[in-house]
Amino acid sequence: SADSTHPGAMGGRQGSHELPLRLLVPTQFVGAIIGKEGLTIKNITKQTQSKVDIHRKENMGASEKAITIHSTPDGCSHACKMILEVMEKEAADTKTADEVPLKILAHNSLVGRLIGKEGRNLKKMEQDTGTKITISPLQDLTLYNQERTIMIRGGVEECCNAEVEIMKKLREAYENDVAALNLQASLIPGLNLSALGISSGLPVLSPAGAPHRGSSHHAAYNPFLVRPLPAPPPQEVVYLFIPTQAVGALIGKKGQHIKELARYAGASIKIAPSDNPDAPERMVIITGLPEAQFKAQGRIFGKLKEDNFFNAKEEVKLEAHIKVPAAAAGRVIGKGGKTVNELQNLTSAEVIVPRDQTPDENDEVFVKIIGHFFASQTAQRKIREIIQQVKHQEQKSQHGAATASQHTK
């Protein structure tokens, strides 16, 4: 739970779509930032028209605490400067530190664009602002903590100028993602994004350990909701093919990583035994509701990219198979391949319904989907939707036939 200060006069433009500014500050300075009877922080919120949450009750015993500032970009920068000035003064008065670096927390998915190709953006920011900027390594991330720490060293003025540039880049990346996800939400009917934890931000794990979920201060990521589904959909099975050499990394030491992933996603994740040890790919069988599929597959795609099983410049593309009733396969293809072509154009995934398949014991056949994560997800949702329509029509025609036979009796 966060200690929330009074929100001041909150900037008018500021809505839930603004990316908050998240700072990491040494625990010993938290008292000075709050001030006697909360006066210092009240003054900061009032002057900068922002809402400032100091998460001091979290991560008991941790040497640093997070602070979340909700305001307009100017309001965030103003509050950041005031907090940095308080810390500098406190450090000088107590002689606890020679310099106080500014630490900004940012969601890992935004950091790549901040760094830029071959670190160009970051180098330019350092030159323009006269600061030294370092970013915490990927290895520090866990399933629960997806934030990286951006450390800025320099004078107060220089650090504050760097904050403006850094947040400008992060906000731009964030807004692009929100727009892309809104588009995905409209393209992926029936995907309940609030159930993915997308609306409330990814859970954050403190350095001290336990994840704390659901509080408003997380790098509140992807802030939009889709209406919940009326009835729980059936469990889905997806067969995802990953490079054989990535199997060990996915399983982790003593199976830790795959267990943690299954728990996080709420899905069953099994690696199929291989008939051929030299096969370049292994099949991962994922069973779970649509939300669990989204989370599990998303993390697997991310893991392969992070662990460099793919060239850093390429988007990770994987092949996934889903089974569809043999009776619905024709509908997935459409007249003269019309539906499958539309699917490919819409999702930018390759969708293949292999011909001459013998249906299995459940009278089902495979559909292959090849593409990057969102393309694959969108195609999976669209194909499941076609299957639902076919089932619905069959039920209606059976019901119609039953009614007709009653009338003829």
Side-chain angles (χ1 to χ4, degrees):
S1 69
D3 302 349
S4 208
T5 67
H6 98 125
M10 285 297 281
R13 282 193 310 120
Q14 201 260 326
S16 61
H17 287 270
E18 289 278 6
L19 183 66
L21 169 61
R22 303 246 305 145
L23 303 178
L24 199 57
V25 305
T27 303
Q28 75 250 35
F29 295 148
V30 169
I33 294 167
I34 293 169
K36 257 206 183 104
E37 292 168 7
L39 281 178
T40 309
I41 195 71
K42 273 183 188 150
N43 180 37
I44 293 172
T45 56
K46 201 169 163 194
Q47 280 203 37
T48 64
Q49 297 214 328
S50 53
K51 177 176 180 287
V52 182
D53 293 332
I54 300 178
H55 314 295
R56 60 176 169 172
K57 289 202 176 78
E58 281 159 23
N59 320 339
M60 283 318 208
S63 63
E64 295 180 302
K65 301 286 178 190
I67 294 182
T68 306
I69 305 166
H70 297 270
S71 186
T72 58
D74 288 350
C76 287
S77 296
H78 190 181
C80 171
K81 186 173 187 188
M82 290 181 81
I83 288 169
L84 200 51
E85 283 167 347
V86 169
M87 293 199 292
E88 289 270 334
K89 184 177 184 312
E90 184 66 9
D93 290 352
T94 54
K95 298 187 171 57
T96 44
D98 298 335
E99 63 154 6
V100 184
L102 175 61
K103 290 187 179 181
I104 296 175
L105 291 170
H107 195 281
N108 179 45
S109 62
L110 306 174
V111 169
R113 284 163 287 178
L114 170 70
I115 297 169
K117 270 208 178 111
E118 292 159 11
R120 276 180 220 146
N121 290 352
L122 217 50
K123 283 186 195 123
K124 186 173 180 340
M125 280 178 200
E126 286 185 322
Q127 284 163 359
D128 291 352
T129 60
T131 54
K132 180 88 192 84
I133 304 170
T134 47
I135 295 178
S136 63
L138 269 171
Q139 291 85 296
D140 294 359
L141 295 179
T142 67
L143 270 181
Y144 299 113
N145 176 26
Q146 289 289 309
E147 285 185 303
R148 311 265 296 269
T149 305
I150 303 159
M151 183 157 72
I152 309 155
R153 292 183 182 276
V156 172
E157 281 300 322
E158 289 82 2
C159 287
C160 291
N161 292 339
E163 178 272 333
V164 171
E165 294 306 312
I166 287 167
M167 286 306 291
K168 199 184 283 175
K169 264 277 173 264
L170 292 174
R171 284 188 190 101
E172 186 184 304
Y174 173 72
E175 277 156 22
N176 289 342
D177 285 0
V178 171
L181 273 159
N182 272 316
L183 176 65
Q184 292 295 342
S186 62
L187 290 179
I188 309 183
L191 183 61
N192 174 7
L193 286 154
S194 61
L196 296 176
I198 282 183
S199 54
S200 62
L202 291 168
V204 178
L205 187 68
S206 61
H212 38 266
R213 287 186 168 77
S215 41
S216 64
H217 64 278
H218 297 159
Y221 200 61
N222 311 350
F224 59 88
L225 294 168
V226 171
R227 284 186 301 286
L229 295 176
Q235 295 267 333
E236 297 176 350
V237 182
V238 177
Y239 305 86
L240 193 63
F241 292 82
I242 67 167
T244 303
Q245 74 266 31
V247 171
L250 183 63
I251 295 171
K253 253 201 195 121
K254 295 184 181 159
Q256 269 316 94
H257 184 266
I258 202 163
K259 277 183 199 145
E260 201 177 341
L261 175 58
R263 204 168 49 237
Y264 156 81
S268 147
I269 303 170
K270 294 192 168 62
I271 297 188
S274 172
D275 312 331
N276 171 9
D278 300 327
E281 291 181 316
R282 281 283 287 280
M283 182 164 81
V284 181
I285 304 161
I286 306 165
T287 309
L289 296 174
E291 284 70 39
Q293 291 291 353
F294 189 97
K295 287 167 131 173
Q297 291 177 50
R299 280 290 154 88
I300 292 170
F301 273 79
K303 175 97 180 126
L304 295 178
K305 187 161 178 76
E306 264 169 40
D307 290 0
N308 301 319
F309 288 106
F310 285 79
N311 174 339
K313 291 188 175 61
E314 316 176 306
E315 194 61 54
V316 174
K317 279 190 175 179
L318 298 179
E319 183 170 324
H321 292 185
I322 61 177
K323 286 185 172 180
V324 306
R331 285 288 293 279
V332 174
I333 298 166
K335 272 200 182 115
K338 184 169 180 271
T339 311
V340 87
N341 285 341
E342 280 176 1
L343 259 174
Q344 302 198 94
N345 292 337
L346 175 71
T347 63
S348 72
E350 203 180 328
V351 179
I352 306 157
V353 185
R355 296 183 184 283
D356 310 327
Q357 287 187 74
T358 309
D360 66 7
E361 68 281 4
N362 299 321
D363 206 26
E364 291 185 319
V365 293
F366 277 113
V367 176
K368 294 183 184 181
I369 300 160
I370 303 163
H372 58 78
F373 173 61
F374 268 126
S376 181
Q377 278 300 312
T378 315
Q380 287 174 42
R381 287 293 126 240
K382 285 285 181 195
I383 292 165
R384 304 260 187 217
E385 203 188 324
I386 293 169
I387 300 168
Q388 283 313 107
Q389 286 167 355
V390 172
K391 282 187 177 157
H392 191 62
Q393 281 165 346
E394 277 174 0
Q395 283 163 353
K396 258 168 79 175
S397 59
Q398 280 165 2
H399 179 68
T403 322
S405 71
Q406 279 171 355
H407 283 311
T408 51
K409 279 178 187 162

